[in-house]
Amino acid sequence: MKISAILDQKHVSGVAWIKTDATVTDALATLADKGIGTLLVSEDGTKAKGILSERDIVRALARRGSASLSDPVDKIMTPDPVTCTADDNSASVLKKMTNGRFRHVPVVEENGTLLGVVSIGDIVKARLTDLEQEREALVDMIAGR
């Protein structure tokens, strides 16, 4: 399955992002408000300078304690995140995620413009749907329908 199909199934438009100079506290409020686990870090929401996950925040808290809450997000973000395009195959993106041990990948156009974010959960859900459709097709074929 192509990443574009997964983005279409999400029924979410736009990308959740935060400016580089926003504080970690601001990021936490946005994550909680939107019920998500990651934000792209950008100046204008069109190009990602980095990605900020719950893991990044936990690591910062473990290193510096509550003092890290007033840090700008660009101090703790993961810079230059691994990305994919809408034309990429979900299996190849899942392999990148597994090998890199991360759960979110920004989807970009060839020029780097942000289209969305796919999570490992999005890809697993799509794969389960594919497997169910394959199973149904095999059952129908065996039954002669």
Side-chain angles (χ1 to χ4, degrees):
M1 175 178 281
K2 296 241 184 227
I3 293 297
S4 59
I6 294 172
L7 285 178
D8 289 344
Q9 290 173 1
K10 288 181 71 161
H11 305 292
V12 175
S13 61
V15 177
W17 62 279
I18 193 162
K19 287 192 169 213
T20 55
D21 61 351
T23 67
V24 173
T25 298
D26 296 333
L28 285 168
T30 303
L31 290 169
D33 182 55
K34 294 183 180 288
I36 56 176
T38 196
L39 291 168
L40 295 179
V41 182
S42 175
E43 290 306 318
D44 60 7
T46 63
K47 305 254 186 195
K49 290 189 170 212
I51 192 166
L52 181 73
S53 70
E54 295 163 323
R55 284 183 183 175
D56 294 321
I57 295 169
V58 167
R59 287 182 188 125
L61 288 167
R63 279 192 309 270
R64 296 195 50 241
S66 61
S68 63
L69 294 174
S70 59
D71 288 341
V73 296
D74 67 351
K75 185 173 180 177
I76 68 165
M77 71 180 185
T78 300
D80 303 317
V82 172
T83 62
C84 68
T85 69
D87 289 332
D88 283 342
N89 182 292
S90 61
S92 68
V93 176
L94 183 59
K95 186 174 183 177
K96 286 181 189 180
M97 294 170 125
T98 302
N99 291 341
R101 298 182 51 107
F102 48 85
R103 298 178 303 211
H104 298 87
V105 175
V107 183
V108 297
E109 293 178 353
E110 294 299 325
N111 66 2
T113 301
L114 292 167
L115 296 174
V117 175
V118 290
S119 71
I120 200 161
D122 297 331
I123 294 176
V124 168
K125 179 181 176 186
R127 184 64 183 134
L128 289 173
T129 299
D130 285 347
L131 288 171
E132 180 60 22
Q133 290 171 350
E134 289 172 17
R135 186 195 69 77
E136 289 173 7
L138 287 171
V139 167
D140 288 348
M141 185 178 71
I142 291 168
R145 295 181 248 184

